[in-house]
Amino acid sequence: MRILLTGGTVVSMDPVVGDLARGDVLIEDGVIAEVAEDVDAPDAEVIDATDRIVMPGFVDTHRHTWQTAFRGVGADWTFPEWAQAMHRTLKPRYQPEDVYLGTLLGRLEALHSGVTTMLDWFHCARSPEHADAGVAALRDAPGRSVFCHGAGWGTADSVEAEIRRVRAVLSSDDGLLTMSFGLRGAEDTSFDAVADELKLAAELGLRSSLHVESEGVRRPVADLHEHGLLRDTTTFVHANGLGDDELRMLADAGASVSVSPDVELKMGFGWPMTGRMLAAGLRPTLSIDDVPSVGGDMFSTMRTTYVVQRGLDGGLDSRDLLEFATVDGAHALGLAARTGSLAPGKDADVILLRTDDLTVFPVTDPAGTIVAAGHPGLVDTVLVAGRVVKRDGVLVDVDLRALRTRLLESRDRVAAAAGVPLDGTWQPQPQPKSA
């Protein structure tokens, strides 16, 4: 069980290991054993990394994969239109099989584009069977995944019972599939309910994630701070419109943040908060959010984050973006000891990017090239915990033809049941919040 990645350009994202213009990575039993310019391992399986960048896999801290079957249909939607379409029109027609297929194909897509670790923020738990289908799909996808069970959005009657039930299924924090808690938020419940959910998360040993934003009038983080409800185990998603003092409250609490720049800009959340987060002492992480609205790869997400902030104030450099998409994401998910960088002792979550592709050749500055010009077509090889899950540009042991057929059947079935046309003419009409 030894694998030697040899002859690549190593971008380790580890301050001790550094970058190597030409280096080797030795993997033993799924764990990185050595990273050096030249490793002698005559009995290892050799993967030639010549003309490849060898780097840690990307970490996506927030994605709703159950929606994958409706990729692209929401390219022009605002947030109220998305909520009306996905949660009020389509979701009520989802069966567990639809959840399973969307989650599985969405997770495979992420792996295909180099996302080795992903938090799946699940808010389609119409029944326990729906949640179980999401868990089963993540088990069947060979990636490192966090099932973030979100009991809000009208998807569960009993939050505590359902979280306890799923935690009993996902009781181990050592495997490739682990669990976290998707909090509902005080605006959907009450501060007492948030306190109860945080208490439950602590009892069950779960990290948590919470969607939050402000139009400049509400102060959701300040309110949570006043009620003593900020935790270093919570990731705050989006956070658009928060005051600078609220961002400092998050930093002081040791909380983390997840920026989904494409969705935030397109749906009208406001400017991504990346620069202001950094100024407040927070290390942003990156996420896709949902593929009905945006692309599902980390390359485009990094690029949007980068060019927007550069346009606003000239801040950030390429290395910042790579850190957001790897080590910082791993820290936010509580997985920094296992993934996010290439260093001895860490699990071998590794991607190999082609440098001989004409869209990036010649690669003079690897970090700059990845951020400025990278795309999923460069992802040649992917390893998760030392297992090769993509080789020579193709996912290993996956019958994509059959899965594509099943996903199309799922999409058509849900759309027909919801009375939604699939000819590109459908535009959901948002309802008042009281609806």
Side-chain angles (χ1 to χ4, degrees):
M1 299 298 294
R2 304 179 88 205
I3 298 175
L4 181 65
L5 310 176
T6 182
T9 299
V10 178
V11 179
S12 75
M13 305 308 299
D14 181 87
V16 176
V17 175
D19 293 350
L20 302 173
R22 189 271 178 217
D24 295 347
V25 178
L26 179 63
I27 300 165
E28 295 182 347
D29 296 327
V31 176
I32 297 171
E34 187 176 357
V35 184
E37 291 184 354
D38 187 26
V39 175
D40 184 26
D43 59 339
E45 173 192 348
V46 174
I47 295 179
D48 186 1
T50 304
D51 295 326
R52 303 289 186 267
I53 292 170
V54 181
M55 66 173 288
F58 297 122
V59 179
D60 180 347
T61 55
H62 152 246
R63 187 186 304 217
H64 310 293
T65 58
W66 64 270
Q67 304 174 26
T68 301
F70 290 90
R71 182 187 306 280
V73 300
D76 299 324
W77 291 346
T78 62
F79 176 74
E81 290 168 338
W82 170 84
Q84 174 64 22
M86 294 308 308
H87 284 281
R88 301 191 186 103
T89 306
L90 294 170
K91 184 169 77 176
R93 306 297 181 175
Y94 263 69
Q95 299 302 315
E97 173 75 358
D98 305 310
V99 168
Y100 175 83
L101 290 169
T103 302
L104 178 57
L105 267 292
R107 186 64 187 98
L108 290 174
E109 172 211 353
L111 275 173
H112 181 66
S113 65
V115 177
T116 53
T117 300
M118 188 193 78
L119 180 140
D120 192 335
W121 217 110
F122 184 73
H123 48 21
C124 190
R126 297 185 55 242
S127 72
E129 291 75 22
H130 286 72
D132 292 344
V135 170
L138 295 177
R139 285 196 191 280
D140 289 346
R144 188 181 303 278
S145 301
V146 179
F147 183 72
C148 183
H149 198 0
W153 296 85
T155 58
D157 295 326
S158 176
V159 171
E160 179 175 350
E162 175 64 1
I163 296 298
R164 287 187 182 278
R165 185 189 71 82
V166 176
R167 180 55 165 165
V169 175
L170 297 175
S171 58
S172 174
D173 296 323
D174 297 326
L176 288 179
L177 178 57
T178 55
M179 182 182 174
S180 67
F181 192 164
L183 303 176
R184 290 179 293 173
E187 66 275 12
D188 296 323
T189 54
S190 66
F191 290 107
D192 286 342
V194 174
D196 288 341
E197 291 185 4
L198 286 170
K199 182 179 179 180
L200 177 62
E203 176 193 338
L204 298 178
L206 296 174
R207 300 181 72 85
S208 58
S209 181
L210 173 65
H211 293 78
V212 65
E213 52 84 28
S214 173
E215 71 293 332
V217 177
R218 294 180 301 111
R219 286 173 54 79
V221 169
D223 291 339
L224 290 170
H225 178 263
E226 181 180 346
H227 286 80
L229 298 175
L230 297 182
R231 300 288 186 273
D232 62 2
T233 52
T234 302
T235 298
F236 287 78
V237 179
H238 301 312
N240 304 85
L242 296 184
D244 290 339
D245 62 329
E246 290 183 287
L247 295 177
R248 288 192 293 272
M249 292 173 193
L250 293 180
D252 291 343
S256 54
V257 291
S258 178
V259 176
S260 309
D262 292 287
V263 159
E264 292 163 13
L265 289 164
K266 289 177 65 175
M267 286 192 179
F269 291 7
W271 294 107
M273 300 281 284
T274 318
R276 291 178 55 202
M277 289 173 178
L278 286 169
L282 291 163
R283 293 295 300 178
T285 72
L286 300 180
S287 61
I288 304 302
D289 200 332
D290 72 277
V291 298
S293 304
V294 300
D297 68 276
M298 195 61 76
F299 298 98
S300 57
T301 300
M302 286 191 293
R303 191 148 48 246
T304 299
T305 306
Y306 183 51
V307 298
V308 167
Q309 196 61 47
R310 294 282 290 207
L312 287 172
D313 63 11
L316 302 186
D317 59 32
S318 302
R319 185 67 58 161
D320 289 325
L321 273 299
L322 289 185
E323 290 175 356
F324 299 164
T326 56
V327 289
D328 292 329
H331 276 286
L333 298 184
L335 295 171
R338 302 178 64 183
T339 192
S341 63
L342 305 184
K346 288 199 173 185
D347 288 0
D349 296 347
V350 189
I351 60 176
L352 275 61
L353 308 180
R354 300 184 65 96
T355 61
D356 55 358
D357 189 284
L358 289 181
T359 59
V360 295
F361 181 84
V363 175
T364 305
D365 177 349
T369 300
I370 294 167
V371 173
H375 56 84
L378 304 178
V379 181
D380 177 80
T381 302
V382 178
L383 297 91
V384 178
R387 173 187 174 187
V388 178
V389 300
K390 183 178 182 181
R391 190 190 297 270
D392 298 328
V394 179
L395 290 172
V396 175
D397 297 330
V398 176
D399 188 351
L400 285 178
R401 183 187 296 273
L403 287 175
R404 288 189 182 107
T405 298
R406 291 172 64 191
L407 187 71
L408 289 176
E409 292 172 349
S410 168
R411 180 200 64 183
D412 294 350
R413 179 174 62 250
V414 172
V420 171
L422 291 173
D423 58 2
T425 62
W426 181 49
Q427 192 68 16
Q429 298 301 311
Q431 297 180 0
K433 285 188 176 182
S434 60

